[in-house]
């Protein structure tokens, strides 16, 4: 194949990544897994142990035939370094401190009163300072990951377009580095969350994996052939604009019967208002009516879940991920969504694609910030 | 990333692949492209030149600043070795001889009167013998690629299930090797065709690429992150079972409003019969009626094309291929399909995904056999 022989990460990165995501692992196990000689693993691990990122656990007994001297598995020293992660939304910043294993050690919120870049940067600096100082993390924290919805160029740290913040071409990495003094990486929020699941969640070890987020928008992060899919034309994972009903409602994107036009939070609210006659109904109000047994409003959620399930089946039919996680703030109402999502998925999944496990679960908002921190961890490991 | 450091092809395979698919290339160009030292390229190229697979072209002038001695680009000696490819359908075998550059040198058809394995193997042997003997290719041909629709395990050469032939668990590679004396590789036909486009067609050099085939079934081959997508559960590229109309016709797969239930050849014929009142109408008859201006039958093709375009947009929205080729025997009627395919695609492609170029073109049946030969070339290069 064309695969790039030289983008194979050097041995140190490969060893650190494997122990981080799948450890503890013995040197023998690492050598087998990475296709390296045991000597190469030992050589790569040495500086990581010296720098305090890896440690040797107590030797485990080996009793099988041909057992040599006992193996001392390598594991991560999670508190060797900490990583900040911040999710930027239209009305607040959510920040976390994670350790090297992506465990959340501290978290904090900070409201945004404006959406202009200067205000966001000021609040971001307050948030990161308080997180670093209150927990005593400053001395061991050098990196900050930022997650934001919209069109983000991770390579340059440029936010090309963020619809919720009304930002165009904001050089966020540069600005945030100047403001905080930290090394910053910026990523699309769904991709950041997908990275967290791929490295530290249900996607660990999977060659292919999908994460679907349900909320105001409906998004998808895809890992195929071991790598995040980014799209040759800057678009990928736009599951929200798969057309599942050719005679369905018009979507803001110009499409017809898009999943988002049926199952996005705004579409649900609008339809629930129309059917219930409550013109001031909120999303939470619609959830409450459906839970209380209102059949018309209940049907809105059923139809929405079916559309989501149908689009998830399209993902399974096309790329066949090992597993799919469905999450997002919309799944606070997952009691209303889960059954129709599974029904739509099972109807449209083709043959063995129906065997793809679906994990449907709510997503604490803090997890978005953890996703941002994970992107920082990934950048650190690659460096 | 987790990417497997040791599946990076060794230098000889990498050099041969690059020259084969993107050559002629100078050693300097190869080194840059493959991330290898120039010495490593020279070392890898030497045995390939000695064995007659590569040749040095006449030096080209280099006149830029810092120009060293003139570079002698390496190119493929296409007639060094030949490869047989055979597509197995329900009623005939289509065979070709290709050279190392996948150019078709000879072709032949052979009808099948039965679908049992023994008959197919007998006819396959006759076909390969006549192709090899008539053109004098035998001495330089060692490999045969077989393409067949259905569930095929390329690794073991097992045809798990072929619906058109009614085959279950046929060890085709083993049987065909015994019958022909050639080294055989067996692949799903859509994947074989995708490989041909990826290595020798419009997909050359693309990190991601899709091929959509329109005919009795509607299939899709996907290359993402540089490799063919195979699906963790054995299913991938099943574009025909994406649901595009939740209130649409039931599909044989159990789904509703699947693309194939709207745009597969059988679905089109059935619908055209019902609307025209001609209960014996064939696919070609439906095409003729539509071309003659029958608006009801014309609308069947329009709706079918729209459904295909909508599903192709789902591919673009999810994985963002660099380009998409739409082909297949159904596109013999591409005058009826092209406009509605583009209309459906443009409506449902999200934002910049609409920039993905669509090549819509008929597919000579022989190209399926060339795809099979290409899989043989690929197996040779990897070996």
């Amino acid at each position: 194949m064309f695969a790039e022989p030289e983008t194979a990460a050097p041995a140190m990165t490969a060893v650190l990544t494997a122990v981080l995501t799948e450890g503890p692992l013995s040197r023998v196990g690492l050598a087998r897994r990475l296709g390296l000689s045991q000597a190469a693993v030992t050589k790569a691990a040495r500086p990581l142990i010296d720098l305090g990122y890896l440690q040797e656990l107590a030797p485990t007994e080996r009793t099988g035939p041909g057992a040599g001297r006992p193996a001392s598995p390598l594991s991560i020293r999670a508190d060797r370094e900490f990583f900040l992660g911040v999710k930027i939304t239209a009305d607040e910043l959510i920040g976390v401190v994670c350790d090297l294993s992506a465990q959340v050690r501290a978290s904090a919120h900070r409201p945004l009163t404006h959406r202009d870049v200067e205000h966001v940067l000021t609040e971001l600096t307050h948030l990161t300072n308080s997180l670093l100082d209150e927990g005593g993390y400053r001395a061991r924290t050098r990196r900050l990951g930022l997650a934001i919805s919209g069109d983000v160029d991770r390579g340059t740290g440029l936010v090309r377009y963020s619809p919720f913040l009304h930002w165009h071409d904001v050089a966020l990495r540069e600005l945030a580095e100047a403001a905080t003094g930290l090394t910053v990486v910026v990523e699309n929020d769904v991709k950041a969350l997908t990275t967290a699941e791929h490295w530290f969640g249900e996607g660990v070890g999977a060659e292919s994996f999908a994460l679907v987020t349900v909320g105001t928008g409906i998004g998808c992060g895809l890992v195929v052939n071991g790598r995040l899919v980014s799209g040759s034309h800057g678009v990928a994972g736009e599951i929200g604009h798969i057309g599942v009903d050719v005679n369905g409602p018009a979507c803001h994107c110009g499409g017809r019967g898009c999943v988002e036009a049926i199952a996005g939070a705004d579409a649900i609210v609008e339809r629930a208002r129309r059917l219930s006659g409550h013109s001031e109904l909120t999303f939470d109000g619609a959830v409450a009516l459906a839970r209380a047994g209102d059949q018309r409003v209940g049907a809105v959620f059923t139809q929405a879940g079916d559309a989501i399930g149908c689009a998830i089946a399209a993902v399974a039919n096309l790329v066949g991920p090992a597993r799919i996680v469905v999450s997002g703030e919309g799944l606070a109402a997952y009691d209303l969504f889960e059954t129709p999502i599974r029904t739509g998925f099972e109807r449209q999944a083709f043959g063995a694609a129906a065997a793809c496990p679906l994990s449907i679960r709510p997503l604490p908002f803090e997890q978005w910030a953890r996703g941002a921190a994970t992107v920082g961890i990934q950048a650190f490991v690659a460096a």
Side-chain angles (χ1 to χ4, degrees), chain A residues 345-359:
Chain A
F345 175 76
E346 282 159 20
R347 187 184 67 244
Q348 291 303 141
F350 182 70
C356 176
L358 288 194
S359 302

Side-chain angles (χ1 to χ4, degrees), chain A residues 323-340:
Chain A
R323 51 175 53 249
I324 301 177
V325 172
V326 187
S327 197
E329 59 276 18
L331 286 188
Y334 86 114
D335 53 315
L336 300 173
F337 274 128
E338 183 171 4
T339 301

